[in-house]
Amino acid sequence: MGPKAKKSGRKKRKITKAERLKQLQEEEERRQREEEEARVKYEKEEMERLEIQRIEKEKWHQLEAKDLERRNEELEELYLLEGCFPEAEKLKRDTRLLSQWKHYIQCDGSPDPSISPEINTFISLWKEETNETLEEVIAKSKLVLNLIDKLKLILLETPPYDLEDKNIIQYQGSILELQELLHLKFNIATEILLRQASTLADLDSGNMEKVIQDENVTLYVWANLKKNPRYKSVRFSETQIGFEIPRILATSDIALRLLHTHYDHVTPLCPVPTSLQEHTATVTHFVKDEVKNEEAAISKELQEEGKQRENESSSVQEEETKFEEQGDSEVQMILKEGLQKYIYPPETTEDVETENAFPPIEVTLEVQENVIFFEDPVVARWDAEGKHWQTDGISNVSYKSEERLITFSLETFGPVTLIQDSHINMPFQSWELRPLDVNKVLLTVTTVFTEIQIQIKENLCMLASIKLNNKKHSSILEGKWMTPISFICALKEAGLNIFPSGHSHFYVVINYKDPLVEMKAYRQLALLSSAFAFGWSKWNTVCNSKKVIVKLKEHLTEEPTQKPNWTNLMFSGDRAQRLKINENSEAFSEALQEETEFHSTLYHMVKDFASKKAMEKIRSSNCQFIDSVCYMLLSTRLLSYS
């Protein structure tokens, strides 16, 4: 083994105590120096921040003082501009009086339903008419339904200060009397038809079948003349509409009638807010304690009870079973006593041996094309004792959306209806109000299921288009101009309910806004709507309930802007300001847009940056147009329900 290798390199010199102390001292001095520099920097930045804050606060106070200084002047100018609302109400009243005069000079023989002697004479004379056929009753029903619609419209459109309690009682009484008389006439005419059942019998089946169709009513009548136990499937005129009846009915002397009406003649009348003023008051009344109402626990029973009241009736069908005996003697008894309603199942079943002798009756109906169901419709039957719709006693519901056929089983006969949740399209996803032409705007409301476009001009509204699942859907309402209240009623009847009621906040999670702020915002948006486009802002859900935020841009052309440059406005009822943030900002801030000021109204806010042409359009807007826009905004309550 050879000699060990010699270690190379020098030994590492140890740091002396003095050197270590010096090193520690240098590190301490450096740390103190860095801390001092950081302290000085922080103090400088804090002073700069405080100075900026002081300047901003001072500027804010100056802007507030300036706003306060000119507030009275701005509010006085707004008061003059809002004079269009009482002026529009005066024009509405003149229109109502003029319509009465026009009816008087027409002399077409139809009564004025608002005049008690005329409508009472009409009802009395019709009661005296006998032996009317179903065709004659259906033809007369057009006039009767028109009179009912006129009375309902009077109750809805007439302001409370123009409508006395005695008039309300009179109109509602006339509506009920007309409805009852129309239904009675259908019953009598059905009896007259069934007296001739044997002469109208079908050669193949031996039974009688009759179908009469009208724009408001479709009537199906079937008389069991042969009582063949094997003939249990009833289908009308080569359609799929009809019944599957049990053996006990197939062997009984009965007739089946299916009266399919396109109007609701069953649900009791209920009070509805009238006019813009009362509508506003109603909004104010029920929204005040909305937060408490939402936080309060509502029992499931109360929710279901409320939903029964809130669910809208889209179409009403009624099935009735009539008792009829065949043969000469039976005909004589019919002449003496008339047809008797057949109770199914009978109240006494002593003679029946089998336990399941009275199974449910299967019914197949066609859903009218004019009604939109966003989900499968719910079948409900009328409870005559409780005076409400309920879903018990109905089973095996099947809906074919393509064929628009619904099949279900009924435990007993009676009025049934198809319903859907009236809040299915609430809350809204977004909205936009855009000018189209002079005194004409387009309101677009987007929901989970649909996009609805509404045109508003002067004192009229029209359904411009509907999209379902991003595809255009045709409707008979498209292109028809109506007054706002008539238009709202028509949309609801078609299943397009985007109008919250006084109870809607119980069923919809809403973005609660102070009612007074909301009302002021709608009125001022309507004033500006002829020259400015407004839209939903995501920041409206972030700010508190005392403030609303909308996006705005000047819009003087009919076509939509390809790349709109939106500005966010915040309004608290007594102050309007432009916000620095936009829809793409990451965080919410109430910071004021640079080189802008506070104003007491939205009108004076946009006046700072609007063009001369835009302001001229605003000042020359038609009062009825502004009133109609405001009414639609109040009816949809876009700021709370989006």
Side-chain angles (χ1 to χ4, degrees):
M1 190 171 171
K4 288 184 179 181
K6 200 172 184 180
K7 288 185 179 181
S8 61
R10 300 176 181 177
K11 284 187 177 181
K12 189 175 181 181
R13 189 174 70 86
K14 291 184 178 180
I15 301 174
T16 63
K17 189 175 182 180
E19 288 175 336
R20 182 175 290 278
L21 287 173
K22 185 178 180 182
Q23 188 177 12
L24 290 173
Q25 187 177 0
E26 287 175 352
E27 288 178 358
E28 179 66 18
E29 288 175 356
R30 185 172 61 254
R31 185 184 63 79
Q32 289 179 358
R33 187 167 59 251
E34 287 174 353
E35 286 181 355
E36 180 64 18
E37 289 174 355
R39 184 186 65 79
V40 171
K41 183 181 178 183
Y42 171 77
E43 289 180 354
K44 184 180 178 182
E45 288 176 349
E46 184 67 12
M47 287 178 66
E48 289 175 353
R49 187 185 67 81
L50 292 172
E51 180 63 17
I52 292 171
Q53 197 176 60
R54 185 192 66 79
I55 293 170
E56 287 181 350
K57 195 172 183 180
E58 186 178 332
K59 185 180 178 182
W60 190 276
H61 287 316
Q62 288 175 355
L63 292 173
E64 284 184 330
K66 192 174 182 180
D67 177 37
L68 192 61
E69 184 181 340
R70 62 191 175 198
R71 173 163 294 179
N72 290 336
E73 183 183 341
E74 290 185 349
L75 291 178
E76 284 177 9
E77 190 174 357
L78 177 67
Y79 175 77
L80 293 174
L81 289 169
E82 290 189 337
C84 62
F85 294 113
E87 186 180 346
E89 285 300 317
K90 182 179 179 298
L91 289 173
K92 287 181 191 176
R93 188 175 187 180
D94 293 343
T95 302
R96 288 192 294 271
L97 294 173
L98 184 61
S99 65
Q100 291 180 349
W101 172 249
K102 283 182 178 179
H103 183 274
Y104 175 76
I105 62 177
Q106 273 179 349
C107 298
D108 58 357
S110 64
D112 185 340
S114 63
I115 299 176
S116 183
E118 288 192 27
I119 194 66
N120 289 339
T121 301
F122 172 81
I123 292 171
S124 299
L125 291 174
W126 197 26
K127 283 180 179 178
E128 294 174 2
E129 294 181 21
T130 57
N131 298 324
E132 289 178 289
T133 64
L134 279 169
E135 288 84 357
E136 290 172 335
V137 172
I138 287 176
K140 191 69 168 281
S141 70
K142 292 181 181 179
L143 173 59
V144 175
L145 293 173
N146 185 41
L147 295 174
I148 291 172
D149 288 341
K150 282 184 178 180
L151 287 169
K152 287 181 177 180
L153 204 56
I154 290 171
L155 290 170
L156 287 171
E157 289 188 337
T158 309
Y161 52 79
D162 276 347
L163 199 60
E164 297 180 9
D165 290 342
K166 64 177 183 179
N167 297 125
I168 296 174
I169 295 169
Q170 173 199 322
Y171 299 154
Q172 290 184 335
S174 297
I175 291 170
L176 291 173
E177 200 167 355
L178 286 168
Q179 288 177 335
E180 290 171 0
L181 182 56
L182 178 59
H183 198 60
L184 176 64
K185 289 288 184 177
F186 273 121
N187 290 344
I188 295 172
T190 303
E191 179 179 333
I192 292 171
L193 174 68
L194 290 173
R195 292 176 193 276
Q196 310 165 18
S198 57
T199 61
L200 300 173
D202 181 71
L203 294 176
D204 296 329
S205 66
N207 298 319
M208 189 214 79
E209 177 188 312
K210 184 78 171 179
V211 179
I212 306 174
Q213 192 163 6
D214 177 72
E215 61 188 61
N216 298 311
V217 177
T218 305
L219 187 69
Y220 305 89
V221 182
W222 178 80
N224 189 14
L225 303 178
K226 288 296 182 181
K227 298 183 285 295
N228 186 345
R230 291 178 297 176
Y231 195 86
K232 295 188 290 184
S233 180
V234 181
R235 290 292 178 269
F236 292 99
S237 299
E238 300 180 356
T239 68
Q240 298 186 57
I241 300 170
F243 304 87
E244 293 290 335
I245 57 176
R247 180 184 177 85
I248 191 166
L249 292 182
T251 56
S252 300
D253 294 319
I254 63 160
L256 294 175
R257 184 184 76 176
L258 170 59
L259 177 62
H260 184 166
T261 66
H262 296 179
Y263 55 89
D264 185 353
H265 61 284
V266 179
T267 308
L269 297 172
C270 57
V272 182
T274 59
S275 84
L276 177 62
Q277 284 82 358
E278 185 171 350
H279 188 100
T280 303
T282 306
V283 171
T284 304
H285 172 72
F286 78 77
V287 179
K288 280 183 179 177
D289 299 320
E290 205 159 290
V291 173
K292 288 191 289 184
N293 290 337
E294 282 190 338
E295 291 176 352
I298 305 169
S299 69
K300 184 177 180 182
E301 181 181 350
L302 285 175
Q303 288 186 33
E304 291 176 352
E305 181 182 350
K307 283 178 182 176
Q308 287 173 353
R309 294 194 302 270
E310 289 296 308
N311 283 343
E312 59 191 2
S313 296
S314 298
S315 61
V316 180
Q317 298 86 30
E318 180 178 356
E319 298 83 43
E320 288 186 353
T321 319
K322 300 277 185 179
F323 173 80
E324 181 189 24
E325 294 188 12
Q326 301 298 323
D328 293 339
S329 60
E330 286 78 21
V331 171
Q332 291 174 355
M333 188 171 68
I334 292 172
L335 291 171
K336 186 177 179 182
E337 299 179 4
L339 295 177
Q340 301 297 316
K341 186 174 182 179
Y342 185 90
I343 305 299
Y344 182 90
E347 295 177 356
T348 57
T349 57
E350 297 175 358
D351 299 334
V352 182
E353 297 179 359
T354 57
E355 185 177 340
N356 195 26
F358 302 99
I361 302 98
E362 184 180 288
V363 183
T364 301
L365 300 174
E366 184 178 5
V367 180
Q368 56 172 308
E369 294 180 356
N370 301 332
V371 179
I372 297 174
F373 286 98
F374 298 97
E375 293 178 342
D376 288 356
V378 176
V379 184
R381 66 176 185 86
W382 180 249
D383 181 357
E385 293 183 3
K387 301 295 181 186
H388 62 258
W389 298 100
Q390 57 187 48
T391 55
D392 63 331
I394 299 168
S395 58
N396 303 324
V397 180
S398 173
Y399 179 59
K400 298 178 181 178
S401 57
E402 294 295 327
E403 295 90 344
R404 298 186 70 83
L405 290 173
I406 188 163
T407 302
F408 53 91
S409 297
L410 273 176
E411 291 182 3
T412 184
F413 287 103
V416 300
T417 187
L418 305 182
I419 61 177
Q420 69 176 334
D421 182 3
S422 61
H423 302 100
I424 197 167
N425 283 310
M426 302 177 203
F428 316 129
Q429 290 188 322
S430 66
W431 61 273
E432 183 179 312
L433 182 68
R434 175 168 58 86
L436 289 179
D437 202 350
V438 179
N439 296 319
K440 189 176 181 181
V441 296
L442 180 70
L443 175 62
T444 303
V445 179
T446 305
T447 74
V448 173
F449 296 99
T450 182
E451 179 189 276
I452 301 173
Q453 290 192 328
I454 301 166
Q455 285 189 20
I456 307 169
K457 71 171 183 179
E458 297 182 355
N459 62 332
L460 300 172
C461 299
M462 179 192 75
L463 181 64
S465 72
I466 310 171
K467 285 184 181 178
L468 299 178
N469 299 321
N470 295 320
K471 294 180 181 178
K472 185 170 171 54
H473 179 84
S474 60
S475 170
I476 60 166
L477 296 178
E478 288 182 44
K480 293 184 178 180
W481 290 99
M482 292 175 267
T483 60
I485 291 178
S486 299
F487 177 74
I488 290 171
C489 293
L491 277 192
K492 286 182 176 180
E493 288 173 3
L496 297 168
N497 185 20
I498 54 170
F499 308 99
S501 71
H503 305 284
S504 294
H505 58 289
F506 286 111
Y507 309 102
V508 182
V509 178
I510 70 168
N511 178 27
Y512 171 74
K513 295 296 177 183
D514 182 271
L516 187 59
V517 174
E518 195 175 359
M519 183 195 67
K520 285 182 176 181
Y522 293 141
R523 288 168 71 94
Q524 294 185 38
L525 291 179
L527 283 170
L528 302 171
S529 62
S530 58
F532 284 88
F534 298 93
W536 172 84
S537 171
K538 68 179 183 180
W539 303 119
N540 187 49
T541 58
V542 179
C543 64
N544 63 46
S545 61
K546 297 288 185 181
K547 297 170 182 176
V548 297
I549 296 176
V550 296
K551 60 182 184 182
L552 157 147
K553 63 182 174 66
E554 187 174 302
H555 192 96
L556 301 177
T557 60
E558 189 170 342
E559 296 299 322
T561 310
Q562 294 299 324
K563 293 182 179 180
N565 185 21
W566 292 102
T567 297
N568 282 329
L569 290 188
M570 186 168 71
F571 183 60
S572 63
D574 56 5
R575 175 180 289 173
Q577 66 184 78
R578 291 177 69 180
L579 295 178
K580 193 173 184 179
I581 57 172
N582 56 39
E583 292 300 298
N584 298 320
S585 299
E586 294 182 357
F588 175 68
S589 170
E590 293 188 7
L592 197 65
Q593 176 74 23
E594 295 174 1
E595 299 181 359
T596 62
E597 299 179 351
F598 296 133
H599 285 278
S600 300
T601 72
L602 288 172
Y603 171 79
H604 293 91
M605 180 74 259
V606 302
K607 197 175 177 182
D608 281 352
F609 58 87
S611 67
K612 185 178 179 181
K613 187 178 179 181
M615 297 311 296
E616 286 175 356
K617 285 190 73 173
I618 291 169
R619 284 189 285 265
S620 61
S621 296
N622 180 281
C623 65
Q624 289 181 304
F625 161 74
I626 296 171
D627 182 72
S628 297
V629 173
C630 183
Y631 191 88
M632 290 303 294
L633 292 175
L634 277 167
S635 299
T636 50
R637 297 197 58 206
L638 299 169
L639 295 173
S640 287
Y641 280 80
S642 295

